[in-house]
Amino acid sequence: MLSIKNLHVSVEETTPILHGLSLDVPAGEVHAVMGPNGAGKSTLSYTIAGREGYEVTDGSILLDGEDLLALSADQRAAKGVFLSFQYPLEIPGVPALTFIRTALNAQRKARGELEVPAPEFLKKVRAAAASLKMDFDMLRRGLNVGFSGGEKKRMEILQMAMLEPRLLILDETDSGLDIDALRIVAEGVNAMRAPDRSMLVITHYQRLLDYIKPDKVHVLAKGRIVASGGPELALTLEKEGYDRIVAEAA
Amino acid sequence: MAAVTETIRTVQGLEADKYLHGFVTDIEQEFAPKGLDESTVRFISEKKGEPEWMLAWRLDAFERWQAMEEPDWAKVHYPKIDYQDLYYYAAPKKKPQLNSLDEVDPDLLATYAKLGIPLREQAVLAGVINSPRVAVDAVFDSVSVATTFKAELAKAGVIFMPISEALKEHPELVRKYLGSVVPVSDNYFACLNSAVFSDGSFVYVPPGVRCPMELSTYFRINAQSTGQFERTLIIADRGSYVSYLEGCTAPMRDENQLHAAVVELVVLEDAQIKYSTVQNWYPGDAEGRGGIYNFVTKRADCREARAKVSWTQVETGSAVTWKYPSCILRGDESQGEFYSIAVTNGRQQADTGTKMIHLGKNTRSRIISKGISAGKSSNTYRGLVSSHAKAKGARNFTQCDSLLIGKECGAHTVPYVEAKNAHSVFEHEATTTRLSDDQLFYCRSRGLSAEESVALLVNGFVRDVLQELPMEFAVEAQKLVAVSLEGSVG
């Protein structure tokens, strides 16, 4: 399970963005983190994933009891942390297939496992692409180059399916998706639900949670969790907006 | 120069002795003293047993060279070269006395390992002298391999031999084509090369023959004999095809600081030459001291209709690189291509590019240049595309991409375009990008280390050009590019 205690984070020595954030996501559960713009949602996802420049001044992040803060981004990935980006990057000249296989083998190597045999990899990636309704030829092109917003998000979910992480962080995965793409992406995420996986769904809107049903909802405002509850909390927020809850917390 | 005269006399004595005592010569003694004057040129020519016309050719070059000035227009800086302080013939190698691989610089060995070079070859490349069996084995291997190759080439009628041998066995061919692409006084360094070149390769592919192999493996094995002033001459006769690869992916230590080679390609009607280079000479220490100066003149002459030439280069080594493989598109409908990857790191400087001279009708050329700068290095693309008044329908497409890694390096693009008729179409595209922190983090969040991330991003950047290399070398070149950039992100 993911366990965040009293997390304080500053970005490039400016004002602290997160101060005193605590959050537990047990294995097998899906938690949503909702919050207004500028609440620190992306900072939270980047800090868990280990982006450089996000300085943790206090607190801890443990995954199954292991201290993530002591590890680099790639070491965390090998431990099973996966961040689905709000704006996935383009990598010209590197076909998606190459990218995913390189990443998968790097993680396996870090864990002391053998490289995945090419036929097995291809079989699996074909099946995953088909379930996300992606044209397989897209995987032979430069990663995300010339892809639409929806295609990029599907590519993130495809990578997630192939890397089989223990902790999934979805950062604003619904942004830029039309309703059909949203459904396909959500189905892909739901297919990943498993007793040994934790999922953190970071979103501004409730809409995504119609498709990916959370076990718990947390409200992030002013750098910490100000309210937690069941799925009904998301509906309340959708109706009332963030103002009242944020004001009450202040 | 009394000393020179004396040396020459001594050597002449040795030559005379040869016939008494057989062909045993002490190779260590075969060198001319430091410095350059007419007697040095005569000494070299005599040592090679060259015909009279060759000596005259060299002397003519030497005379012209003396009247020339070293050019300074390239965007590179290096201390002034003292031409009287160099050896011009078989300089004695001052290699450190290494008894085993254990004594070799661990960094160098680590690099060899990353490039996947077999242990035996490692010992030869690093110059371990007290393990002659290693070296001898390798030499024997290469001799036997070379012999097999030669038999196959001979069957096809392809001539492939050192140019000094070709001067003896095929003087008419050498005389006809030598200097016909790069004239003696073409430029300062080519002129110097013409006067003092020691050896190099000669290739002749007869009409209609497709050379049965890449002329590469052979060269790789022989790469340790890379000379200071190499001279290469390749002729593809009508309708023939040859692919030639020079260089070595292993970092070569060399005491010869100045390298001024000349490569001439002659392409006749419907023939094609594909010339690939992988250059990874010593770039110097962290401060750039002791690295190689690589001032090379490479030119191809598409002399007749529909001749085609492709230059592909991967340049990762040397302290200073200054080279512009060029194509003269003389024949109607002839084609020239230039694909380049130039990587600079540390304090390396590269000023490289190409010239496409369109003289014939409907000639076409294509330039894809990928420059990668890291550390405190400087990387310049300099290219000329020109069309003559008669070159109606000439077309060129140029794409010039620069990638910057870090904040202290520089990339420059200097395109020259001259169209002397109204029926030419020249296109030029250029981009400069910085390796972004976002891309790096994206890769790392998927499990790639910092270095693996850079390697992946850079290999994506150079992919178009890598695809032009012969298959087995593309893989090595890909690793080489990654190794060259190690430590470029912190």
Side-chain angles (χ1 to χ4, degrees):
Chain A
M1 86 163 191
L2 173 72
S3 177
I4 302 175
K5 294 260 181 301
N6 189 34
L7 190 67
H8 288 71
V9 178
S10 298
V11 181
E12 283 159 6
E13 295 166 13
T14 54
T15 26
I17 294 178
L18 298 181
H19 30 97
L21 184 144
S22 296
L23 184 67
D24 280 342
V25 187
E29 291 194 8
V30 176
H31 286 205
V33 171
M34 301 182 71
N37 289 328
K41 298 194 297 290
S42 285
T43 300
L44 176 62
S45 58
Y46 282 154
T47 307
I48 301 171
R51 179 157 194 168
E52 283 171 21
Y54 288 74
E55 198 198 342
V56 177
T57 52
D58 200 4
S60 64
I61 305 177
L62 303 180
L63 181 63
D64 296 338
E66 194 158 4
D67 179 13
L68 286 188
L69 296 179
L71 305 175
S72 64
D74 45 298
Q75 289 168 330
R76 291 183 205 194
K79 295 283 181 195
V81 176
F82 183 92
L83 168 62
S84 170
F85 281 56
Q86 182 177 4
Y87 303 108
L89 277 293
E90 297 185 1
I91 305 197
V94 180
L97 276 177
T98 308
F99 182 80
I100 298 171
R101 196 154 61 94
T102 308
L104 182 58
N105 284 332
Q107 290 196 13
R108 292 174 72 110
K109 196 175 141 204
R111 293 193 291 257
E113 299 165 8
L114 290 173
E115 290 197 350
V116 60
E120 188 188 308
F121 172 80
L122 274 175
K123 201 175 152 198
K124 215 176 137 186
V125 81
R126 270 182 197 283
S131 69
L132 287 163
K133 301 193 168 48
M134 293 171 74
D135 181 359
F136 193 72
D137 281 342
M138 275 176 62
L139 300 180
R140 302 185 197 279
R141 304 213 305 260
L143 181 69
N144 290 333
V145 178
F147 288 16
S148 70
E151 287 169 335
K152 287 180 182 174
K153 290 295 168 74
R154 280 188 229 190
M155 187 60 84
E156 293 290 285
I157 305 305
L158 177 73
Q159 291 180 37
M160 192 165 82
M162 293 302 296
L163 295 172
E164 301 183 317
R166 268 198 346 221
L167 170 65
L168 285 62
I169 308 163
L170 305 176
D171 190 358
E172 306 276 5
T173 290
D174 52 329
S175 70
L177 291 188
D178 61 33
I179 205 75
D180 292 327
L182 182 62
R183 193 180 307 119
I184 294 165
V185 164
E187 278 168 13
V189 174
N190 287 329
M192 298 284 294
R193 285 184 181 234
D196 59 346
R197 285 203 175 103
S198 306
M199 287 195 202
L200 197 56
V201 181
I202 294 173
T203 181
H204 185 83
Y205 298 108
Q206 190 270 340
R207 185 177 72 148
L208 179 65
L209 304 181
D210 288 341
Y211 298 92
I212 303 172
K213 303 268 186 223
D215 297 296
K216 269 193 163 181
V217 175
H218 307 274
V219 180
L220 171 60
K222 296 180 177 169
R224 55 200 179 86
I225 302 297
V226 295
S228 296
E232 72 287 351
L233 180 56
L235 297 169
T236 312
L237 286 170
E238 183 75 0
K239 237 181 280 165
E240 299 183 3
Y242 289 102
D243 292 350
R244 187 179 59 83
I245 286 182
V246 172
E248 277 175 14
Chain B
M1 294 282 284
V4 175
T5 322
E6 198 178 296
T7 310
I8 292 172
R9 254 189 235 118
T10 314
V11 170
Q12 279 168 341
L14 282 172
E15 290 286 310
D17 274 358
K18 242 186 200 174
Y19 299 97
L20 294 174
H21 305 292
F23 280 84
V24 185
T25 31
D26 185 351
I27 291 162
E28 289 300 312
Q29 293 299 316
E30 288 196 353
F31 61 90
K34 264 187 185 178
L36 178 57
D37 63 12
E38 201 182 298
S39 64
T40 324
V41 177
R42 287 180 184 278
F43 173 85
I44 294 168
S45 186
E46 191 165 338
K47 280 304 299 170
K48 295 273 169 197
E50 288 177 353
E52 190 60 34
W53 64 266
M54 192 65 234
L55 173 64
W57 198 82
R58 285 179 182 273
L59 288 173
D60 173 48
F62 179 66
E63 201 178 312
R64 291 169 188 239
W65 180 73
Q66 284 176 303
M68 293 170 95
E69 292 206 10
E70 195 172 332
D72 60 0
W73 45 261
K75 194 174 165 39
V76 292
H77 304 277
Y78 56 93
K80 196 144 182 58
I81 299 166
D82 180 357
Y83 292 91
Q84 295 304 332
D85 192 38
L86 297 173
Y87 290 99
Y88 288 87
Y89 185 73
K93 302 282 185 208
K94 286 176 291 180
K95 290 205 171 165
Q97 302 282 313
L98 300 174
N99 294 315
S100 75
L101 272 176
D102 298 339
E103 293 177 27
V104 178
D105 180 358
D107 288 349
L108 196 61
L109 287 183
T111 310
Y112 288 160
K114 281 175 198 152
L115 291 168
I117 293 167
L119 265 185
R120 288 192 333 182
E121 263 185 70
Q122 288 186 21
V124 177
L125 290 164
V128 176
I129 56 159
N130 204 23
S131 57
R133 265 192 55 240
V134 175
V136 168
D137 279 356
V139 169
F140 276 157
D141 276 3
S142 70
V143 167
S144 60
V145 170
T147 310
T148 319
F149 281 5
K150 274 201 166 161
E152 204 178 322
L153 289 173
K155 217 169 87 188
V158 175
I159 302 170
F160 179 32
M161 57 177 58
I163 201 161
S164 55
E165 266 179 52
L167 270 165
K168 296 192 182 87
E169 293 185 30
H170 305 280
E172 72 297 341
L173 280 175
V174 180
R175 191 168 188 179
K176 183 172 174 190
Y177 292 107
L178 189 74
S180 72
V181 184
V182 179
V184 163
S185 57
D186 184 80
N187 69 70
Y188 188 80
F189 297 109
C191 194
L192 175 63
N193 175 289
S194 300
V196 300
F197 74 84
S198 39
D199 217 333
S201 300
F202 177 82
V203 179
Y204 173 79
V205 190
V209 170
R210 188 177 172 90
C211 185
M213 68 189 71
E214 306 261 358
L215 297 180
S216 60
T217 316
Y218 174 92
F219 209 84
R220 179 187 158 134
I221 292 166
N222 285 274
Q224 69 264 29
S225 64
T226 304
Q228 189 175 10
F229 298 102
E230 275 187 279
R231 186 94 196 185
T232 302
L233 176 59
I234 302 177
I235 301 128
D237 212 324
R238 294 188 170 169
S240 69
Y241 168 86
V242 63
S243 169
Y244 186 93
L245 197 138
E246 70 156 330
C248 185
T249 49
M252 296 291 294
R253 303 277 172 169
D254 196 319
E255 293 300 318
N256 298 323
Q257 202 173 27
L258 171 68
H259 281 249
V262 171
V263 175
E264 295 181 278
L265 310 185
V266 180
V267 200
L268 302 183
E269 196 173 86
D270 291 310
Q272 184 182 356
I273 297 180
K274 190 172 164 62
Y275 192 105
S276 315
T277 307
V278 175
Q279 184 269 109
N280 186 25
W281 280 326
Y282 185 51
D285 63 16
E287 296 302 313
R289 282 180 302 244
I292 305 282
Y293 301 158
N294 187 24
F295 302 153
V296 178
T297 306
K298 291 184 167 176
R299 195 173 302 156
D301 186 357
C302 291
R303 206 157 277 185
E304 297 178 347
R306 296 172 303 280
K308 185 176 175 187
V309 73
S310 309
W311 296 103
T312 306
Q313 59 173 29
V314 179
E315 301 277 327
T316 63
S318 298
V320 182
T321 300
W322 185 351
K323 62 177 269 200
Y324 314 90
S326 309
C327 301
I328 299 168
L329 303 170
R330 197 186 305 274
D332 290 345
E333 290 168 54
S334 58
Q335 290 180 47
E337 293 173 346
F338 174 75
Y339 301 99
S340 170
I341 298 171
V343 182
T344 55
N345 198 353
R347 288 184 183 272
Q348 283 178 276
Q349 307 170 63
D351 191 314
T352 182
T354 186
K355 289 185 207 169
M356 294 291 173
I357 316 287
H358 293 258
L359 301 177
K361 290 189 188 65
N362 299 318
T363 46
R364 282 184 289 160
S365 63
R366 181 178 164 85
I367 299 169
I368 311 281
S369 162
K370 304 275 181 176
I372 301 156
S373 346
K376 295 183 175 176
S377 67
S378 157
N379 202 327
T380 302
Y381 167 82
R382 189 185 301 276
L384 167 70
V385 177
S386 77
S387 66
H388 191 262
K390 287 178 185 164
K392 294 214 165 57
R395 287 192 71 106
N396 165 266
F397 173 74
T398 299
Q399 184 187 330
C400 231
D401 298 324
S402 304
L403 182 68
L404 301 170
I405 302 175
K407 296 191 170 79
E408 291 179 283
C409 53
H412 314 271
T413 302
V414 191
Y416 301 84
V417 177
E418 299 169 2
K420 291 188 182 132
N421 71 69
H423 306 278
S424 301
V425 180
F426 293 166
E427 294 172 74
H428 183 96
E429 288 178 11
T431 64
T432 303
T433 44
R434 188 179 294 281
L435 200 67
S436 80
D437 289 345
D438 288 336
Q439 281 180 321
L440 277 175
F441 173 60
Y442 189 71
C443 294
R444 296 197 68 184
S445 79
R446 298 299 184 249
L448 301 177
S449 69
E451 274 170 2
E452 287 168 334
S453 303
V454 172
L456 185 82
L457 293 169
V458 168
N459 277 317
F461 177 74
V462 300
R463 190 163 179 245
D464 302 350
V465 175
L466 283 181
Q467 284 173 338
E468 296 297 327
L469 282 173
M471 186 72 113
E472 74 272 27
F473 254 76
V475 177
E476 286 186 34
Q478 188 171 348
K479 284 187 194 163
L480 176 61
V481 168
V483 169
S484 306
L485 289 167
E486 275 184 3
S488 57
V489 290

